[in-house]
Amino acid sequence: MTILPPLGAGELGEPELEAATVAEPGAVTVIIPTFNESGNVRELLRQLTAAVPARLPCEVLFVDDSTDDTPAVIRAAAQDCPFPVGVIHRESPEGGLGGAVVEGLKAAGSEWIVVMDADLQHPPALVPDLVAAGERDGADLVVASRYTEGGSRAGLAGGYRIAVSRAATWLTKGIFPRRLRGISDPMSGFFAIRRSAVTADGLRPLGYKILLELAVRCRPGHPTEVPFVFRDRFAGESKSSAKEGLRFLRHLVELRTVAPLARMIAFGLIGLTGFVPNLVALSGLTAAGVHYVPAEVLANQFGVAWNFLLIEVLLFRGRRAHRHWADRVGRFALLANADLLLRIPLIALFVSQLGMGVLTATAMALLATFVLRFAGTEALVYLPKRGRPALLAGDRATGDRAPAGQPEGVTR
C-alpha cells in the first residue's frame, strides 16, 4: 500500500518529507474510493470546494485502486483546494470498493465520515446536509436515499439497471428487516456515519455495497435519511458488472449466516442441492453398465464436490486461509463419506433398540448425521489450526498485515 501525503491549498510540500496519515482531523472526513476515475477528480474537488469549506471544516481522503494516472491527477487537482487532500494507493484491491472504504475508515480521525463515489453521481453539495441531519437528529448514520420523498434514481441508465437496483433493495430489506429498519436505500453508496459507530477491524467487505456491511455488522443507532437525486456519470464508464452482482449475492449470504443457526440452515440447503449432481451422475453411471452399488459410491462424490464448492464460495469464504485447499478437500470428503457409513448403523440402532419404524428411524438418522456433519465441517475443516490465530479480512490475501492505522509502506 502506498500512502501519499495530504496536500494543502496550493502546496506540494518538500520532496524529502514523508507523511503516513491525512491532515489534522476536521469536522468531517470525506472518503472517496477510486478505480480509474482520473476524468472525474478535478470536477469532483471543484464541486466539493464550492459546497463544503464555508459550512464546516473538511478533509478529503481518496483510497485508490487505479491502474491509470488517477493518483497523479488527484495530487495536481489538490493544489487548488482549501482543505487537506490525501491519497492511499492500494497495490492489491482486497475487498473491492468496500475494502477501499474500510482502509479509509481506519485512517480517518474526524467525528463524521462521509462516503461517496468519485463519478459525481453523488452530488458533493449534499455533504454538509448529511452531517447537519446527523447532528440535528442525533443519528449515527445518515443515508442519502433515492427512494425517500424528494429523491430520484434518474442517473441509473436503462430499465435493466433500475430493475436490478430495485430488486437488490427489496432482497436486502427482506433478508435484514430489523437491521435495515429506517433505511429505504440500503444499496446507496452515499452516506455519513459517526466515527464512534464504526468498528473497522470487525468489517468483512466484499464488493461495493459497503453501507450494507456497516449497517448489518456495526448496527449504528438511529439512522436517518436525506433525499438525493442520483445523477448521470460525469466521465468514464460504470464499474457495474455481472461479476460484481455475484459478489453482492455472496456478500448477502455471508452476512446472513453469521449466526451458527443460520449457517447450519444454509449448510442444509446447500446439501439438498447436492442431490442434483448426485442423481445425474448415478443415472449416467448405471446407464453405462456400472453396478448400482459402486455407482452409488461414485455418484456420491459428485454431490460431495458440488457441496464443497458452494460451501467454499458462499458459507466459509472468510475461513479458507486457515488450511491449504487440499487439506480442506480431504477433510470435507472424509466427513461426507463417513456420513454414509454412520447412517446405516444408526438406523439399525433406532429400530432394534428404540422400536422406531424404518421411516422414522431413517429420518432421525438423517437429522443426526446432518448435525454431526455440520459441526464436524466447522470444527475440523474451517476452524483455525491449534495455535494459529483467526485472520482478519485483510489477511486472507497475504496472511499478514500491519496493525490497524499503520501503513505497510509510505512513499512520496
Side-chain angles (χ1 to χ4, degrees):
M1 180 191 303
T2 302
I3 301 185
L4 304 180
L7 305 174
E11 59 177 331
L12 288 173
E14 295 296 324
E16 68 273 11
L17 296 180
E18 293 183 346
T21 61
V22 295
E24 289 295 319
V28 59
T29 298
V30 181
I31 296 175
I32 307 173
T34 50
F35 178 71
N36 297 347
E37 296 286 359
S38 59
N40 293 309
V41 167
R42 190 171 295 278
E43 178 63 18
L44 172 62
L45 288 177
R46 187 192 70 77
Q47 291 191 25
L48 278 171
T49 298
V52 174
R55 301 176 66 176
L56 79 162
C58 163
E59 62 186 8
V60 175
L61 176 60
F62 289 88
V63 186
D64 182 69
D65 296 335
S66 297
T67 56
D68 66 0
D69 62 344
T70 296
V73 173
I74 293 170
R75 289 177 59 81
Q79 298 180 64
D80 300 324
C81 293
F83 43 74
V85 178
V87 183
I88 299 175
H89 180 72
R90 304 194 305 164
E91 302 298 335
S92 177
E94 178 70 17
L97 182 147
V101 173
V102 171
E103 290 296 338
L105 291 171
K106 291 177 181 179
S110 303
E111 178 185 1
W112 281 99
I113 296 167
V114 171
V115 176
M116 65 184 301
D117 291 345
D119 55 16
L120 290 160
Q121 291 187 298
H122 300 158
L126 203 61
V127 168
D129 296 337
L130 293 173
V131 176
E135 295 286 2
R136 181 186 66 241
D137 299 341
D140 288 336
L141 173 66
V142 185
V143 178
S145 174
R146 297 164 292 180
Y147 301 123
T148 192
E149 184 177 357
S152 169
R153 55 176 183 259
L156 281 175
Y160 171 76
R161 285 194 64 192
I162 292 174
V164 168
S165 176
R166 207 48 166 151
T169 299
W170 288 336
L171 179 61
T172 53
K173 288 183 69 66
I175 292 176
F176 302 104
R178 287 186 296 176
R179 296 186 189 182
L180 296 180
R181 184 175 297 143
I183 301 176
S184 66
D185 193 358
M187 299 293 98
S188 177
F190 191 18
F191 58 90
I193 191 166
R194 289 186 193 269
R195 183 65 185 84
S196 58
V198 177
T199 306
D201 287 336
L203 298 173
R204 303 288 185 270
L206 178 62
Y208 58 99
K209 297 306 179 185
I210 186 61
L211 173 59
L212 179 64
E213 173 80 7
L214 286 165
V216 172
R217 293 200 194 271
C218 297
R219 305 185 189 186
H222 310 294
T224 190
E225 294 186 323
V226 171
F228 90 105
V229 176
F230 191 72
R231 307 191 304 193
D232 292 329
R233 170 179 270 274
F234 181 75
E237 297 180 354
S238 171
K239 309 305 188 294
S240 296
S241 65
K243 182 179 178 180
E244 285 296 334
L246 291 175
R247 294 178 80 183
F248 165 67
L249 293 176
R250 285 166 52 198
H251 192 201
L252 277 182
V253 172
E254 183 171 302
L255 287 172
R256 184 65 278 177
T257 56
V258 169
L261 178 59
R263 201 157 53 245
M264 187 167 70
I265 292 172
F267 184 88
L269 292 174
I270 289 173
L272 288 176
T273 69
F275 282 113
V276 175
N278 190 322
L279 292 175
V280 170
L282 181 62
S283 175
L285 289 168
T286 53
V290 180
H291 189 274
Y292 75 90
V293 174
E296 284 278 6
V297 175
L298 290 172
N300 187 61
Q301 307 316 306
F302 284 86
V304 169
W306 171 266
N307 288 344
F308 177 76
L309 289 174
L310 289 186
I311 286 168
E312 283 267 299
V313 171
L314 297 177
L315 208 54
F316 292 110
R317 180 183 67 90
R319 302 188 192 181
R320 293 184 303 195
H322 300 318
R323 296 182 185 276
H324 189 271
W325 70 267
D327 189 8
R328 299 196 306 275
V329 169
R331 287 167 177 262
F332 186 85
L334 182 63
L335 285 169
N337 285 285
D339 174 77
L340 291 174
L341 299 176
L342 180 61
R343 200 182 308 155
I344 294 175
L346 273 178
I347 293 172
L349 176 66
F350 292 155
V351 171
S352 62
Q353 300 298 318
L354 301 180
M356 292 183 181
V358 174
L359 291 179
T360 304
T362 301
M364 292 298 295
L366 283 169
L367 180 61
T369 55
F370 164 71
V371 173
L372 290 172
R373 186 172 165 186
F374 170 72
T377 299
E378 282 222 319
L380 301 177
V381 181
Y382 291 103
L383 280 186
K385 294 180 180 179
R386 184 173 298 178
R388 176 183 292 182
L391 299 177
L392 296 176
D395 303 331
R396 288 194 292 271
T398 64
D400 192 18
R401 67 172 297 132
Q406 296 184 20
E408 290 138 315
V410 181
T411 62
R412 287 291 295 183

